[in-house]
């Protein structure tokens, strides 16, 4: 019996939503033979059960461009080995296995083996330094970590004495004379059995731990359970339009929630082929992968699209003319606002629609998106996924949701700003912040999960991103979303990227200040500064346009590609920089190894 997602003729948005129920969608999952749900089983075992073990699961591209295709059967074997190794080492069910690995095959074997064995996966960014690594491993009670020798020596060994829970360090490349107190991943896995039967897993068992940084203080450990896989699977069908035979490429870093939900889990549950690029971002390399691998659906981030935009050749030729992108149906984007400029560029330069998708570490899966079959409204995030109820909640003076007598007010009128909220209860909703029950509680009001994002909803039900609740600028009585100002600036030919903040001002409360990264062919000048301000005033009106423009060589980004406006503000005001552990290395954008989402 073939239980793979049977590609529906993409239903129109309204009928898909009207007939949707999470309970009914459960039949999309294979489910464990004895009942229960396990993410690893859905990603791997089900395909063997259905006789599809020989299908290509992963196409791994090494840095030197060499290619290795791994079938679902092989992935089952190698993840089985990992599952046995964890059991043999005495890592208990529910205990945490950290990965400090780039996107490479061993990561897939480890993540899937850990999930199939009912142990908890916690991925870290390889670019973290020893401090953020130690902090997260401490908070998460890391029992084992799988990493490379180099990363171990630089990032784990210096802090190991602070990690009493950490029993096992598995090195995928131990080499000669490996450091003491480490184990050889190749030796252990080679000696282990290549068949493993997934044990009983309750849908509510902890599966994944994702650290996400708050604006200040310690990172938050968002806890996700096995039944989240239902949301991964269903959203990948509706928002990413995955079908049998697709070649899917998600460029997100494996340390970020996107790299897990859509870089590993969702495509495998659909039985499609996932491209795994071990190399760094470089425009030429990426176009080659899209063309040579016949990628059909590409999931990336605005920061990467902007870097491709910047890398446009001077002769004016378009990527779509130089590379065969004919297999690609659309590009999907996540992580930060998708500027209309990037949507227009995608249309012209790639000849493709660019679909936005909105979600958070906490939501575990895509919540709002351009439905695959819908036309794109540039600048809008799209509409809530089937099974997701989203609303704009009225905010009080402090800019946060007003809760009166335990109740909130849903904004009914179109185009009014408020905080985006989701009706609690979708399968991939986080089930807590590790060790912080109160912080978790404070994310909910009146049955709604409060996202901390400000949005508006138009008369047709499309959502428009305004900003993070804590980024919003109030200037002379106007609430100004930095994204809107950044998008307008980016329409100016000289602007590659912009970051906008509010600078306190005795008269206006705050004035809008823009930090602008210019395209290489435009040298900074006072005249250009005046021109940009005038340009923005024409687009946005004097109340919203920046009063000040500063030229910068780099903009600080998080590893998931978000402009760190908080840091721009702190630097501008001479305030402490707070938690900067997720800060991307300050390399000039557009160079190889720069913060593409693959190397974020
Ligand atoms: C998946 C992910 C969540 C925050 C979110 C919002 C921003 C994400 C966006 C977007 C505008 C989009 N964000 N997608 N903003 N348009 N399509 O990014 O998770 O790293 O936890 O970030 O990212 O502010 O609240 P995470």
């Amino acid at each position: 019996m073939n239980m793979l997602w049977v590609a529906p003729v993409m239903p129109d948005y309204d009928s898909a939503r009207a007939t949707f129920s999470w309970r009914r969608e459960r039949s999309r999952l294979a489910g464990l033979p004895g009942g229960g749900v396990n993410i690893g089983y859905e990603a791997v075992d089900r395909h063997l059960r259905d006789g599809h073990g020989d299908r290509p699961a992963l196409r791994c591209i090494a840095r030197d461009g060499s290619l290795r295709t791994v079938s679902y059967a092989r992935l089952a074997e190698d993840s089985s080995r990992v599952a046995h190794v964890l059991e043999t080492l005495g890592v208990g069910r529910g205990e945490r296995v950290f990965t400090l690995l780039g996107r490479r095959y061993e990561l897939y074997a480890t993540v899937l083996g850990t999930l199939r064995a009912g142990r908890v996966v916690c991925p870290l960014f390889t670019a973290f330094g020893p401090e953020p690594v130690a902090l997260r491993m401490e908070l998460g009670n890391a029992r084992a970590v799988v990493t490379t020798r180099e990363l171990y020596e630089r990032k784990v060994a210096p802090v190991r004495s602070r990690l009493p829970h950490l029993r096992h360090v598995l090195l995928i490349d131990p080499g000669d004379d490996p450091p003491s107190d480490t184990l050889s991943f190749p030796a252990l896995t080679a000696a282990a059995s290549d068949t493993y039967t997934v044990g009983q897993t309750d849908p509510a068992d902890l599966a994944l731990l994702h650290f996400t940084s708050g604006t200040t203080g310690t990172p938050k450990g968002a806890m996700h359970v096995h039944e989240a896989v239902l949301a991964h699977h269903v959203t990948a069908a509706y928002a990413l339009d995955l079908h049998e035979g697709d070649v899917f490429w998600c460029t997100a870093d494996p340390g970020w929630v996107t790299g897990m939900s859509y870089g590993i889990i969702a495509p495998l549950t659909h039985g499609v082929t996932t491209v795994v690029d071990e190399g760094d971002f470089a425009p030429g390399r990426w176009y080659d992968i899209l063309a040579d691998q016949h990628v059909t659906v590409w999931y990336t981030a605005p920061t990467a699209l902007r870097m491709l935009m910047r890398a446009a050749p001077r002769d004016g030729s378009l990527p779509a003319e130089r590379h065969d992108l004919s297999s690609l149906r659309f590009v999907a984007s996540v992580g930060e606002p998708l500027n209309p400029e990037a949507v227009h560029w995608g249309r012209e330069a790639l000849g493709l629609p660019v679909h936005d998708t909105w979600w958070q570490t906490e939501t575990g899966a895509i919540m709002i998106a351009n439905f695959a079959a819908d036309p794109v409204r540039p600048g809008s995030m799209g509409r809530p996924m089937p099974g997701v109820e989203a609303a704009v909640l009225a905010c009080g003076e402090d800019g946060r949701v007003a809760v009166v007598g335990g109740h909130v007010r849903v904004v009914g009128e179109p185009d009014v700003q408020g905080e985006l909220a989701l009706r609690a209860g979708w399968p991939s909703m986080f089930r807590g912040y590790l060790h912080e029950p109160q912080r978790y509680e404070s994310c909910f009001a009146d049955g709604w999960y409060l996202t901390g994002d400000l949005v508006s909803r138009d008369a047709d039900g499309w959502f428009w991103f305004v900003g993070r609740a804590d980024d919003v600028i109030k200037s002379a009585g106007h609430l100004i979303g930095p994204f809107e100002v950044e998008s307008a600036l980016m329409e100016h030919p000289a602007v590659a990227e912009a970051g906008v903040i509010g600078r306190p001002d005795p008269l206006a409360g705050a004035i809008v200040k823009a930090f602008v990264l210019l395209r290489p062919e435009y040298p900074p000048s006072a005249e250009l500064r005046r021109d940009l301000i005038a340009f923005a005033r024409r687009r946005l009106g004097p109340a919203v346009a920046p009063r000040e423009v500063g030229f910068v060589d780099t903009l600080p980004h998080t590893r998931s590609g978000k402009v760190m406006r908080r840091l721009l503000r702190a630097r501008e005001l001479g305030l402490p920089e707070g938690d900067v552990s997720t800060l991307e290395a300050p390399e000039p954008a557009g160079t190889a190894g720069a913060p593409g989402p693959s190397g974020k």
Side-chain angles (χ1 to χ4, degrees), residues 482-519:
F483 167 58
E484 194 186 356
V485 181
E486 289 159 7
S487 284
L489 285 168
M490 281 190 57
E491 285 167 28
H492 190 286
V495 177
E497 198 177 3
V500 165
I501 62 162
R503 200 165 63 68
D505 178 83
L507 266 185
I511 58 149
V512 176
K513 169 148 193 180
F515 294 89
V516 169
L517 180 70
L518 293 170
R519 288 179 193 277

Side-chain angles (χ1 to χ4, degrees), residues 1-71:
M1 183 178 38
N2 183 346
M3 292 283 290
L4 286 177
W5 172 273
V6 181
V9 176
M10 189 47 82
D12 74 79
Y13 180 80
D14 293 318
S15 53
R17 273 187 69 86
T19 55
F20 187 94
S21 100
W22 284 113
R23 202 163 42 83
R24 200 145 13 86
E25 293 294 315
R26 271 199 156 209
S27 63
R28 303 266 178 219
L29 297 183
L32 289 172
V37 174
N38 180 291
I39 297 177
Y41 187 90
E42 299 297 328
V44 179
D45 301 67
R46 73 178 297 177
H47 304 299
L48 275 67
R49 182 201 69 177
D50 297 342
H52 299 315
D54 56 348
R55 287 192 180 164
L58 305 175
R59 210 172 287 156
C60 304
I61 308 167
R63 282 174 184 271
D64 65 5
S66 60
L67 214 66
R68 174 181 173 203
T69 300
V70 179
S71 66

Side-chain angles (χ1 to χ4, degrees), residues 220-237:
K220 306 174 274 187
M223 303 196 276
H224 288 282
V225 298
H226 278 275
E227 73 174 341
V229 69
L230 180 56
H232 298 144
H233 186 80
V234 167
T235 54

Side-chain angles (χ1 to χ4, degrees), residues 212 256-258 333-338 356-362 381 451 453 465 468 560 562:
T212 170
W256 183 30
V257 68
T258 308
S333 166
V334 61
E336 48 168 335
L338 179 64
D356 202 4
T357 68
W358 177 96
W359 56 293
Q360 301 180 309
T361 302
E362 288 83 349
M381 314 191 288
T451 66
D453 279 1
F465 186 79
R468 289 290 301 166
S560 56
K562 300 177 215 324

